[in-house]
Amino acid sequence: MTATTPAHDVDAAVASAAAVAALVEEAGPRVRASALCAAADALDDGADALVALAGAETSLREARLRSELRRTTFQLRFFAGIVEAGEYLEVAIDHADPDWPPAPRPDLRRMLVPLGPALVFTASNFPFAFSVAGGDTAAAIAAGCPVVVKAHSGHPRLSDATAELVSAALEGAGLPPGTLSVVHGRDAGLRAIVDPRVRVASFTGSQEAGRLLFDLAAGRPDPIPFYGELGSLNPVFVTRAALARREEEIAQGYVGSFTLDAGQFCTKPGIVLVPRESSLAERVAGLSGASDGAAMLNDRCRASYCDAVAALGAHESVSVLLAGSVSAGGAVTPSVLATSVEDLVADPEGIVSECFGPATLLVYYDREEQLLEAAESFTGELTATVHAEPGEPILEQLLPRLRGIAGRVLWNGWPTGVAVTWAMQHGGPYPAATARETSVGAAGIGRFLRPVTYQGFPDALLPEALREDNPLGLPRRVDGVLRPATR
Amino acid sequence: MTATTPAHDVDAAVASAAAVAALVEEAGPRVRASALCAAADALDDGADALVALAGAETSLREARLRSELRRTTFQLRFFAGIVEAGEYLEVAIDHADPDWPPAPRPDLRRMLVPLGPALVFTASNFPFAFSVAGGDTAAAIAAGCPVVVKAHSGHPRLSDATAELVSAALEGAGLPPGTLSVVHGRDAGLRAIVDPRVRVASFTGSQEAGRLLFDLAAGRPDPIPFYGELGSLNPVFVTRAALARREEEIAQGYVGSFTLDAGQFCTKPGIVLVPRESSLAERVAGLSGASDGAAMLNDRCRASYCDAVAALGAHESVSVLLAGSVSAGGAVTPSVLATSVEDLVADPEGIVSECFGPATLLVYYDREEQLLEAAESFTGELTATVHAEPGEPILEQLLPRLRGIAGRVLWNGWPTGVAVTWAMQHGGPYPAATARETSVGAAGIGRFLRPVTYQGFPDALLPEALREDNPLGLPRRVDGVLRPATR
């Protein structure tokens, strides 16, 4: 089951998705919503076995995995609610108007429609929430798109077990067989992304793999949207005033965030700017040194991480404050490194490099204006954080710059932990993301949709969402005025 | 002024745009809206001279140019209204919730922010509406992005004259110098699109040029969004029942649409499917043969068009019903060609090819089921049209297929004429467009925006649009519930 999927089976999975695409859409919002809820119920029912399998394949803690599974089932139900509310269709209706400039306007009715078969590449570090039944799968099915999942090699058995439960639940709720399928292996992914029947792809992982896939998607005879999340340093800017008031709280929050689950989060605070004279670095090194460490997701992750930390530690401008170690059992303890803002600005390519694991780099500054220069060293980040006190003059210039480089800007918090809500944005300028649509939260459904306008149609031939009497009770923009839902 | 812009001047234009990007945004919605209106007023005031210049450079009729200019100034004012309404910011606010699954959620506030300097490639066939002060420029400035326009070589003096008027108006209304600039020449465009300071690009034109630019945008170290509109055949499907009831009306509408302004529209009906036994083909050829013809935009357009029509006419399965000619003065008369649906389906690559000018291809069918096969011959179209009677059984399958290949689906109409409204979608699957955002209508502002979420901020440090008391009176989604504007 978990060996590389042969080419003809990859083709068959894509063919099935293409064959049922119309059925998945025509099933309608109610059936798709109840199918998503049925999938969530099935995962809840199978939680014990799934969590055990996930633990065996990823070394993640049971408590973490149970929490992640709760998030995953919540996410499926959240998207069920979004489908039922129907606002995601963004319906707009402009009635015919003979006086419209410069020429009479016909009756125009716009809505979003599903793109068709979606190819979802899953992530190593979230075996539930960014995997077979994760956010992209939930959003795609909510939108009306069948999904071919390219499973991550870090948890192949869990991927199959999840797919089996979820597929059965989707079918039981009325979606056609073939709505969800799983393929394994690098070659399977490379084959599927250039299949003309695949209409959209999403990815969470390394910059190297993500760029390869992005280039394939963009290089097709018919390029398709590729939503890639390719990594982030998540810089944190700490002012003197913040440290003066809450040094111990900041130290603990920082260590908690960068060491959580062996630092294997795309939102881990990888670079933190602190005043040179502060004792935060020693405090962080001290707290981190007390950690017993934790196993990483798999041997490949550990090897990549160790190489990356060693390379950063070997940079002539970087010093190692705490050298992590790997135990015989594979537990990795945290590493803390340091440099100065002058060195960061002088060689951003050498120093701004992601170490996916329990390492962080403190960057010393003298004058707070240097924070502005430092901010220019980052190109595209999922998050940027400031720890400061309200009213500090530097904020006036620093906050716009942080917004310029990141998809989420935090105040006196830590970037790990990405809530599934309406207002979440998980993305950012390249390489944080290859396109603007979020991978977490309600707006993620937009990844799988495109707009279509109907012109001059008799009511009976329009999709229900566009009919004059609004049988679905949707919120709609009518002649430019937003009208609320009517149910 | 209209020679190729030297490299250092291209760089200077981009540098100016980058330098003022923050100012354009911070100018705020009211200033940007009044600047757009001032630009519209300036164009209205200069209409006589601009229309004369446009006529000299493009050979388009004065009445057409005056109408297009009215559309252009309407469009600028339309986007001014959109900026002032503020709904385009898509504000969402989720208050902190300690009971949110699986972990307490922080306060999250999301809005759209400008992408930064935009590069707008203009089109030959709309010297006003898709040019220096056209839809993309209006949308970009509305969004808060400075614009570098790559002028089309078909109307360089008009481009400079427009830029001069519009720039002065923008500055007069409070936007900084450098908000709008114009560069000329192919090399200028190729240089600007890979400039790291350019953050988004848009294009309307040929598939060849558009794909070249798309590949450059996607191939950058930091890929940027590229909104290209690369051509369309705009297939029209005519049923027997429709012909039985309105043959003469259909014939006249068809000829009017495909010959309008020498057929130089991306929405020209290039392929029309008709019952084999009908006399529509003869009627269309007859009406078209009565045309005196019209000059095309320029010699290059005419030469490309003549080559394309000759190539299509030479296809072994295509017959020429009416052979257009070119007069000594350059007027081109319409061409009408024909083939069968069997031949279309057998060689779509050979037959589905855009002839940008006054030519159209009729495709004969016998059984209406063949319309479904024919629909599969098209990949991505700006529009697809059906002429039929309500209740015809074929519609149940045909309409979903037309929606699958097009961005706009029309009922008993003709695709030329694209109204600037809220519900318009001008785009479609590739190659109609390279990305889903429309190039005409309100939603076009989305081309120039990206989302950012603020987490845990004190109210005073938030942008006005996100503050708790909603000082701008914006419509906002609060804790998942859409709330209307409060002013």
Side-chain angles (χ1 to χ4, degrees):
Chain A
M1 279 292 274
T2 60
T4 289
T5 306
H8 65 268
D9 289 348
V10 176
D11 296 348
V14 174
S16 292
V20 301
L23 296 173
V24 174
E25 185 195 351
E26 288 159 14
R30 205 153 301 161
V31 169
R32 292 207 303 278
S34 66
L36 291 168
C37 291
D41 293 344
L43 294 176
D44 280 342
D45 291 346
D48 291 344
L50 292 171
V51 165
L53 197 45
E57 289 194 313
T58 67
S59 301
L60 290 168
R61 297 169 295 126
E62 181 181 341
R64 143 71 195 269
L65 288 168
R66 288 202 181 271
S67 169
E68 185 187 332
L69 185 55
R70 272 199 301 282
R71 170 188 164 171
T72 305
T73 54
F74 169 71
Q75 195 159 248
L76 287 160
R77 297 183 181 106
F78 184 69
F79 275 108
I82 287 168
V83 182
E84 289 207 305
E87 201 180 314
Y88 78 96
L89 295 169
E90 297 183 8
V91 171
I93 295 175
D94 295 329
H95 293 99
D97 181 347
D99 299 323
W100 197 251
R105 98 180 170 204
D107 183 274
L108 295 162
R109 293 167 189 250
R110 185 184 204 260
M111 65 183 290
L112 301 186
V113 302
L115 276 172
L119 176 64
V120 174
F121 290 82
T122 64
S124 62
N125 60 335
F126 280 96
F128 293 118
F130 282 77
S131 192
V132 174
D136 276 330
T137 297
I141 292 175
C145 298
V147 177
V148 176
V149 170
K150 155 61 178 70
H152 197 278
S153 59
H155 50 272
R157 288 185 294 140
L158 176 66
S159 297
D160 284 338
T162 305
E164 200 173 316
L165 282 177
V166 170
S167 290
L170 297 176
E171 285 181 42
L175 291 183
T179 300
L180 176 71
S181 56
V182 170
V183 298
H184 293 272
R186 178 184 157 91
D187 288 349
L190 296 178
R191 184 175 182 86
I193 199 164
V194 294
D195 189 307
R197 294 166 294 194
V198 168
R199 305 312 308 157
V200 52
S202 68
F203 169 88
T204 307
S206 74
Q207 198 165 333
E208 192 187 350
R211 185 63 194 245
L212 170 70
L213 293 168
F214 171 85
D215 289 342
L216 287 171
R220 289 166 50 127
D222 58 331
I224 55 170
F226 179 81
Y227 300 102
E229 184 199 319
L230 314 189
S232 184
L233 270 293
N234 306 297
V236 178
F237 298 75
V238 183
T239 67
R240 287 198 167 82
L243 272 188
R245 187 173 283 235
R246 331 174 247 112
E247 177 162 340
E248 183 58 22
E249 182 190 330
I250 289 172
Q252 294 202 6
Y254 180 6
V255 173
S257 185
F258 99 82
T259 63
L260 184 67
D261 288 318
Q264 298 167 117
F265 289 107
C266 49
T267 51
K268 180 198 76 174
I271 290 191
V272 179
L273 288 106
V274 300
R276 194 183 300 272
E277 74 284 3
S278 84
S279 51
L280 189 70
E282 292 79 52
R283 187 73 190 113
V284 166
L287 285 169
S288 305
S291 163
D292 292 335
M296 295 190 66
L297 288 162
N298 53 57
D299 293 349
R300 214 176 72 189
C301 280
R302 189 176 60 236
S304 300
Y305 166 72
C306 290
D307 288 349
V309 175
L312 185 59
H315 191 286
E316 58 178 5
S317 307
V318 172
S319 57
V320 179
L321 303 186
L322 175 70
S325 62
V326 182
S327 76
V332 178
T333 61
S335 287
V336 179
L337 302 96
T339 190
S340 73
V341 69
E342 291 86 353
D343 291 317
L344 173 72
V345 170
D347 183 20
E349 279 91 45
I351 291 176
V352 178
S353 71
E354 190 175 359
C355 299
F356 195 74
T360 195
L361 177 71
L362 290 121
V363 178
Y364 302 123
Y365 68 86
D366 296 299
R367 294 168 295 106
E368 280 182 349
E369 291 68 36
Q370 290 175 304
L371 296 179
L372 305 178
E373 293 167 44
E376 306 286 316
S377 304
F378 304 96
T379 49
E381 300 289 335
L382 291 168
T383 71
T385 299
V386 62
H387 279 271
E389 293 295 307
E392 290 196 68
I394 192 72
L395 294 173
E396 204 167 313
Q397 288 180 272
L398 184 58
L399 290 179
R401 294 203 192 195
L402 297 189
R403 206 203 63 184
I405 59 170
R408 180 163 53 111
V409 185
L410 295 89
W411 172 261
N412 291 356
W414 296 97
T416 44
V418 183
V420 179
T421 78
W422 295 274
M424 177 52 70
Q425 171 63 20
H426 192 59
Y430 187 93
T434 58
R436 74 173 180 206
E437 280 76 8
T438 181
S439 69
V440 176
I445 196 169
R447 293 181 159 203
F448 303 100
L449 297 163
R450 70 176 176 93
V452 169
T453 293
Y454 286 77
Q455 177 172 327
F457 270 80
D459 213 54
L461 289 173
L462 286 167
E464 274 192 302
L466 300 183
R467 289 189 194 153
E468 189 62 19
D469 64 351
N470 196 7
L472 302 178
L474 300 173
R476 315 200 287 190
R477 168 184 300 288
V478 179
D479 297 323
V481 179
L482 198 58
R483 302 210 180 152
T486 57
R487 22 148 226 197
Chain B
M1 277 292 275
T2 61
T4 290
T5 306
H8 67 267
D9 288 349
V10 176
D11 295 348
V14 174
S16 292
V20 302
L23 295 174
V24 174
E25 186 196 351
E26 288 160 14
R30 205 152 303 163
V31 169
R32 291 207 302 278
S34 65
L36 291 168
C37 291
D41 293 343
L43 294 176
D44 280 341
D45 291 346
D48 290 344
L50 292 171
V51 165
L53 196 46
E57 288 194 313
T58 67
S59 302
L60 290 168
R61 297 169 296 127
E62 180 180 340
R64 144 70 194 269
L65 288 167
R66 288 204 181 269
S67 170
E68 185 187 332
L69 185 55
R70 273 198 303 279
R71 170 188 164 171
T72 305
T73 54
F74 170 72
Q75 194 159 248
L76 288 160
R77 295 183 182 107
F78 184 69
F79 275 109
I82 287 169
V83 182
E84 288 206 307
E87 200 179 315
Y88 79 96
L89 296 168
E90 296 182 8
V91 171
I93 294 177
D94 296 330
H95 293 100
D97 182 347
D99 299 323
W100 197 251
R105 101 181 168 203
D107 183 275
L108 295 162
R109 292 167 189 248
R110 185 183 203 260
M111 66 183 288
L112 301 185
V113 302
L115 276 172
L119 176 65
V120 174
F121 289 83
T122 64
S124 62
N125 60 336
F126 280 97
F128 294 118
F130 281 77
S131 192
V132 174
D136 277 330
T137 297
I141 292 176
C145 299
V147 177
V148 176
V149 170
K150 156 60 179 70
H152 196 279
S153 59
H155 49 274
R157 288 183 296 141
L158 176 66
S159 297
D160 284 337
T162 305
E164 200 173 315
L165 282 176
V166 170
S167 290
L170 297 176
E171 285 181 41
L175 291 183
T179 300
L180 176 70
S181 56
V182 171
V183 298
H184 293 273
R186 180 183 155 92
D187 288 349
L190 296 177
R191 183 173 182 89
I193 199 164
V194 295
D195 189 307
R197 295 166 294 193
V198 167
R199 306 311 308 156
V200 51
S202 69
F203 169 88
T204 306
S206 75
Q207 199 166 334
E208 191 187 350
R211 185 63 194 247
L212 171 70
L213 293 169
F214 172 85
D215 289 342
L216 287 171
R220 289 166 49 128
D222 59 331
I224 54 170
F226 179 80
Y227 300 102
E229 184 199 319
L230 315 189
S232 183
L233 270 292
N234 307 296
V236 178
F237 298 74
V238 182
T239 67
R240 287 197 169 83
L243 272 189
R245 188 174 282 236
R246 332 175 244 113
E247 177 163 340
E248 184 57 23
E249 181 191 331
I250 289 172
Q252 295 202 6
Y254 180 7
V255 173
S257 186
F258 99 82
T259 63
L260 184 66
D261 289 318
Q264 299 167 117
F265 290 107
C266 50
T267 52
K268 181 200 72 176
I271 290 190
V272 179
L273 288 107
V274 299
R276 195 183 301 269
E277 75 285 1
S278 85
S279 52
L280 188 69
E282 291 80 54
R283 186 74 189 114
V284 165
L287 286 169
S288 304
S291 163
D292 293 334
M296 295 191 64
L297 290 162
N298 53 59
D299 293 349
R300 216 177 70 190
C301 280
R302 189 178 58 237
S304 300
Y305 165 72
C306 290
D307 289 349
V309 176
L312 185 59
H315 191 286
E316 58 178 4
S317 307
V318 173
S319 56
V320 179
L321 303 187
L322 175 69
S325 61
V326 182
S327 75
V332 179
T333 61
S335 288
V336 179
L337 302 95
T339 189
S340 72
V341 70
E342 293 85 354
D343 291 317
L344 174 73
V345 169
D347 182 21
E349 280 91 43
I351 291 177
V352 179
S353 72
E354 191 175 0
C355 299
F356 195 74
T360 194
L361 177 71
L362 290 121
V363 179
Y364 302 122
Y365 68 87
D366 297 298
R367 296 169 294 104
E368 280 183 348
E369 292 67 38
Q370 290 176 303
L371 296 178
L372 305 177
E373 293 167 43
E376 307 286 315
S377 304
F378 303 96
T379 50
E381 299 291 334
L382 291 169
T383 72
T385 299
V386 64
H387 279 270
E389 292 296 306
E392 289 195 68
I394 193 71
L395 294 173
E396 205 166 312
Q397 288 180 274
L398 184 58
L399 289 179
R401 294 204 192 192
L402 298 190
R403 205 201 65 183
I405 59 170
R408 180 163 53 112
V409 185
L410 293 89
W411 173 260
N412 290 355
W414 296 97
T416 43
V418 184
V420 179
T421 77
W422 296 273
M424 177 50 71
Q425 172 63 19
H426 192 59
Y430 187 92
T434 59
R436 74 172 180 208
E437 280 77 7
T438 181
S439 69
V440 177
I445 196 169
R447 293 181 158 203
F448 303 99
L449 297 163
R450 70 177 176 92
V452 169
T453 293
Y454 287 76
Q455 177 172 327
F457 271 79
D459 212 55
L461 289 173
L462 286 169
E464 274 192 301
L466 299 183
R467 289 189 193 153
E468 189 63 18
D469 65 352
N470 196 9
L472 301 177
L474 300 173
R476 314 200 289 191
R477 170 182 301 286
V478 180
D479 298 323
V481 180
L482 198 57
R483 302 208 179 156
T486 56
R487 27 147 222 195

